[in-house]
Structure formats: C-alpha cells, structure tokens
C-alpha cells in the first residue's frame, strides 16, 4: 500500500474513532472510486463503528462516508441517515439559454476548480439539456451561489435545490445477451462490445470496480443489481439472468448508463 493510501486509511479510522467516542456521526469528504475501495478494504475490526456511503442520490459515483455509532444504526433507518449528510445540490443554469454554449462535465468542473475549490468537496455533476446539477459540501453553498457566475463563456446562475425535491433517473441503454457465465470479464465484454482479452487487461490494471470496490479477478462472480464501473469507459448495472439456454449459457440483461 502506498503512503497516500495508508494516510487515507488512517484518516478513516480516526473518523470512526471520533464517532464512537463522541457518539456522533462523522463524515468524510466526497470519495472517488479508488478512495471508496480503500475504505471498503479496511478490516471491520479496525473500525470503531459501522459505515454507510451516499453521494446525494441513489446512483452517485462520488460518495461521502458516514461513520455511525451503534445507537444510530439501531434507531435510524437509512433514509433518515441520508438526510443528515452535509450534501447540498446546486442547479447551474445559463442566464440567456438561447445563447448558451454546449457545456461538458469538464467545463463545469473546471469552473468550480477555478474558484479554488478542491475536488474532494464536490460530488457528481449531472448535466440535463443546458443545465447542470452539482453536489457539493454544504459549507460551499453560499460561496458558490455568490461566486459561480460563468462557465467557459456562458454567464450562469447557481441556485440551491432542496434535496427532498430532487429526482434523477439516469439515462441508460438496456442490453440483453448470452454469456458463458456471470463472471466479471464476460459481463464487461457484453456491456462494452469488446473482446474478453482486452477487458481482462483493464481488470488487471485496476480500472474496474464493483459497488465501489476494486476487483482485480477476472473470474469474480457478479451478483444481481451490482453496479460495475470502469474508469474512463463508463458503468452499468447487472440486473440478472433471464433464462438459461440448452447449451448451458445464460441470457442476461444489463443497464448501461449513457
């Protein structure tokens, strides 16, 4: 384990210890897939509390970790715990939609970072038509509403959206096909229409995550509703086996996010 990973692991353990001794919920910053994997890889006996991850909506890739003492686990359901996260949603809209540019994820992220904000304080950025929804740490809300006025050459306005009012259904392509087994490499081949040998190299290179956990075994068996993320390629949800063919192959369905 590299030094940075060791420091992050120690940080998670400190947050868990603080939650246990103070009997409060403590939170990490937004974590990318690699950081989530480090969290999930910590042996449970090294943490003082349970941990739940959430990124502001059900399909979030970047997520915060909440460290919860036993009392919170016993008396709060998951929805109540989610409501405690210090996550706020900002809607970024062009002041003159008719003249607005076609802005990308990179454009919105660049505008945020140019204001001096670290990536760890921002979650997913969702783009819909000429608007974007950005998940941020609550401490940045007022600053961004005031200071975020331009993305590239487009003048914009940022307003806070109530978390309870936010609804998001990701767009996806449903793919059905037959595979020899529900191994990770077989499902990747179906999702990305590529050879298993090429995708095996991605797995071995540490670019494939299942539910936020790094998987480096080609033979890993995926479970129903698992979300598979491949860095720089995309992600999909494995829904399950529809039927089995006479030759022993499996007819499966997946949802590939677009």
């Amino acid at each position: 384990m590299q030094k940075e990973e060791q420091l992050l692991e120690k940080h998670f353990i400190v947050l868990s210890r603080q939650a246990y001794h103070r009997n409060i919920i403590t939170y990490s910053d937004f974590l990318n897939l690699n950081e989530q994997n480090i969290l999930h890889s910590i042996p449970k006996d090294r943490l003082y509390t349970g941990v739940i991850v959430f990124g502001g909506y059900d399909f979030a890739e970047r997520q915060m970790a909440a460290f919860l003492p036993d009392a919170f686990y016993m008396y709060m359901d998951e929805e109540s715990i989610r409501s405690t996260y210090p996550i706020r949603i900002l809607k970024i809209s062009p002041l003159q939609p008719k003249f607005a540019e076609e802005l990308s994820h990179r454009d919105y992220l660049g505008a945020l970072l140019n204001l001096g904000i670290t990536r760890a304080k921002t979650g997913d950025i969702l783009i819909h038509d000429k608007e974007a929804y950005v998940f941020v740490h609550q401490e940045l809300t007022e600053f961004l509403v005031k200071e975020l006025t331009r993305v590239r050459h487009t003048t914009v306005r940022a307003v806070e959206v109530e978390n309870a009012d936010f609804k998001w259904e990701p767009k996806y392509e449903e793919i059905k096909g037959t595979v020899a087994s529900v191994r990770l490499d077989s499902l990747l081949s179906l999702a990305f229409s590529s050879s298993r040998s090429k995708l095996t190299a991605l797995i071995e290179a540490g670019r494939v995550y299942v539910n936020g956990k790094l998987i480096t075994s080609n033979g890993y068996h995926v479970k129903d509703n698992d979300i598979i993320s491949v860095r720089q390629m995309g992600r999909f949800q494995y829904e399950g086996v529809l039927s089995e063919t006479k030759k022993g192959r499996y007819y499966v369905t997946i949802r590939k996010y677009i």
Side-chain angles (χ1 to χ4, degrees), residues 238-256:
Y238 169 64
E239 295 204 295
V241 175
L242 296 174
S243 61
E244 186 174 350
T245 69
K246 292 181 179 180
K247 295 184 178 181
R249 293 175 63 85
Y250 299 95
Y251 186 54
V252 302
T253 179
I254 62 177
R255 288 185 175 186
K256 184 179 178 182

Side-chain angles (χ1 to χ4, degrees), residues 115-163:
L115 291 173
I117 294 170
T118 64
R119 188 67 175 107
K121 295 297 182 181
T122 62
D124 284 5
I125 300 172
L126 307 175
I127 300 173
H128 178 68
D129 293 333
K130 292 188 176 182
E131 297 180 328
Y133 294 89
V134 182
F135 295 80
V136 300
H137 194 287
Q138 65 181 15
E139 65 188 17
L140 298 178
T141 306
E142 184 177 348
F143 172 77
L144 288 174
V145 167
K146 180 180 179 182
E147 299 294 334
L148 184 58
T149 58
R150 185 175 294 273
V151 179
R152 285 191 66 189
H153 305 295
T154 299
T155 303
V156 300
R157 175 180 62 180
V159 297
E160 184 177 357
V161 176
E162 290 296 328
N163 294 39

Side-chain angles (χ1 to χ4, degrees), residues 74-88:
M74 293 173 61
Y75 299 110
M76 295 179 69
D77 58 27
E78 187 167 345
E79 190 64 30
S80 298
I81 294 170
R82 287 182 169 189
S83 69
T84 69
Y85 277 74
I87 297 174
R88 297 294 180 265

